[in-house]
């Protein structure tokens, strides 16, 4: 099975296509909630951990930070981010690296740290939050959007190279086994061959304990709803999101 880095390198184009569609969860659900949680970013220093193709890095940059840096493990995800940065005259800086060593690359503290849907690829959650502590200024704000634990609890348990059957998408909340499944961006795009992605499942308690252990505090937790309009236009999507929400967005301070 591919490593997490190899896996993201091979899925980069498919991910970008899927998440840039106008009806994507990233824009319609995640960003709508994040926007309302953000402090004032103008002329502040911002760090995006696991920035991928820069979808949120560029959205954050619209608020005119002084400096914005994205870190990601995948050179292919970053090459898409850098290409887009060139096209839109962005000043964002992108660094290839592991977010659990973020401070080693940046060697400075930031006013705002952001991360979206990256923590479930991190084997040592404690290291991730310990680095946030090192990279965040006192009284700084960190907004982390994670896969809602009720959702990652459904990810099928890894069974070597076997692709899971549909009925293996079932909640196993307290089972911390590695998970392996086909991501929607390749499953629903015939141009790409299906492959397994490995990730981890963390419970609500795992997140809170790792944040507190790092010396950080939780200020607020949001679990965003899908757009009301989807009740009419996309009822299936709306309803399955209500049953098992995809996101949990945590505001943290130091
Ligand atoms: C689901 S994508 C999210 C990308 C971006 N934040 C977004 O919301 O579009 C997860 C990203 O996490 C990155 N990633 C996974 N483990 C990482 C690590 N240890 N260090 C840095 N990036 C990592 C992957 O390369 C991938 O780009």
């Amino acid at each position: 099975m591919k490593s997490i880095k190899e896996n993201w390198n091979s899925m980069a184009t498919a991910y970008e296509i899927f998440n840039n569609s106008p009806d994507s969860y990233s824009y319609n659900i995640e960003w709508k909630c994040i926007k309302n949680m953000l402090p004032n970013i103008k002329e502040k220093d911002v760090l995006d951990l696991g920035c991928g193709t820069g979808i949120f890095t560029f959205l954050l940059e619209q608020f005119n930070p002084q400096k914005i840096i994205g870190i990601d493990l995948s050179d292919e995800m970053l090459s898409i981010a850098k290409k887009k940065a060139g096209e839109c005259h962005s000043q964002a800086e992108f660094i290839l690296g592991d977010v659990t060593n973020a401070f080693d690359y940046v060697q400075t503290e930031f006013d705002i740290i952001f991360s979206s849907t990256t923590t479930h690829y991190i084997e040592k959650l404690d290291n991730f939050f310990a680095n946030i502590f090192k990279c965040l200024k006192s009284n700084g704000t960190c907004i982390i959007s994670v896969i809602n634990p009720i959702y990652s609890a459904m990810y099928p348990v890894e069974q070597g190279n076997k692709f899971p059957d549909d009925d293996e998408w079932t909640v196993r909340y307290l089972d911390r086994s590695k998970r392996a499944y086909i991501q929607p961006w390749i499953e629903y795009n015939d141009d790409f061959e299906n492959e397994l992605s490995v990730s981890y499942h963390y419970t609500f308690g795992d997140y809170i304990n790792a944040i507190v252990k790092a010396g950080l505090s939780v200020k607020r937790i949001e679990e965003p709803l899908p757009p009301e309009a989807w009740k009419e236009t996309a009822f299936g999507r709306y309803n399955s999101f209500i049953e098992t929400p995809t996101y949990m967005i945590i505001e943290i301070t130091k």
Side-chain angles (χ1 to χ4, degrees):
M1 200 178 304
K2 286 180 176 165
S3 68
I4 286 175
K5 179 187 174 101
E6 289 166 336
N7 186 225
W8 276 104
N9 276 341
S10 68
M11 297 190 301
T13 306
Y15 181 83
E16 177 65 3
I17 295 168
F18 186 86
N19 279 283
N20 260 322
S21 83
D23 66 346
S24 80
Y25 281 9
S26 302
Y27 290 125
N28 289 282
I29 303 175
E30 219 184 344
W31 179 240
K32 276 194 182 146
C33 179
I34 291 164
K35 235 179 7 188
N36 290 329
M37 295 172 78
L38 286 174
N40 184 8
I41 288 186
K42 195 163 186 254
E43 289 168 21
K44 298 282 171 44
D45 294 342
V46 181
L47 180 62
D48 182 359
L49 297 176
C51 61
T53 60
I55 291 173
F56 289 104
T57 322
F58 300 124
L59 288 169
L60 292 164
E61 197 183 19
Q62 289 172 1
F63 295 108
N64 299 317
Q66 172 166 272
K67 170 170 86 180
I68 183 157
I69 297 179
I71 300 180
D72 201 278
L73 192 68
S74 157
D75 24 317
E76 293 296 334
M77 294 291 272
L78 285 187
S79 99
I80 294 175
K82 286 176 187 165
K83 183 166 176 281
K84 290 195 299 186
E87 287 162 1
C88 68
H89 308 291
S90 159
Q91 300 301 309
E93 209 184 300
F94 293 101
I95 299 174
L96 181 67
D98 181 341
V99 293
T100 59
N101 297 318
F103 189 75
D104 293 351
Y105 308 110
V106 292
Q107 296 281 330
T108 187
E109 292 180 337
F110 291 76
D111 302 288
I112 293 139
I113 298 182
F114 175 80
S115 182
S116 163
T117 53
T118 295
T119 48
H120 60 297
Y121 300 105
I122 304 291
E123 190 176 2
K124 305 256 186 255
L125 208 51
D126 285 354
N127 294 352
F128 177 78
F129 286 107
N131 260 266
I132 289 182
F133 184 87
K134 285 190 195 168
C135 294
L136 189 63
K137 289 183 184 167
S138 284
N139 298 315
T141 299
C142 172
I143 309 267
I144 308 262
S145 174
V146 304
I147 295 293
N148 195 300
I150 195 73
Y151 197 88
S152 62
M154 289 199 308
Y155 287 156
V157 169
E158 187 210 8
Q159 307 167 65
N161 289 321
K162 179 186 170 294
F163 284 18
D165 299 324
D166 286 350
D167 64 5
E168 288 172 64
W169 282 81
T170 177
V171 170
R172 290 186 61 78
Y173 185 75
L174 291 176
D175 186 343
R176 291 351 186 264
S177 307
K178 253 193 201 171
R179 310 297 174 111
Y181 48 94
I182 305 165
Q183 302 274 17
W185 35 92
I186 49 175
E187 188 170 7
Y188 303 119
N189 187 333
D190 292 340
D191 293 342
F192 299 92
E193 202 178 318
N194 284 345
E195 63 178 76
L196 286 171
S197 290
V198 167
S199 77
Y200 301 92
H201 157 63
Y202 295 112
T203 67
F204 181 77
D206 293 337
Y207 279 111
I208 301 299
N209 290 335
I211 293 165
V212 171
K213 186 174 172 192
L216 299 160
S217 309
V218 173
K219 273 187 84 178
R220 145 163 81 142
I221 295 178
E222 296 287 351
E223 292 173 297
L225 290 161
E228 271 293 294
W230 286 10
K231 269 189 193 168
E232 305 295 330
T233 59
F235 184 72
R237 269 185 122 190
Y238 180 89
N239 201 39
S240 74
F241 197 98
I242 296 288
E243 283 174 3
T244 43
T246 310
Y247 305 109
M248 178 168 85
I249 306 180
I250 314 171
E251 180 181 348
I252 296 165
T253 190
K254 174 173 161 185

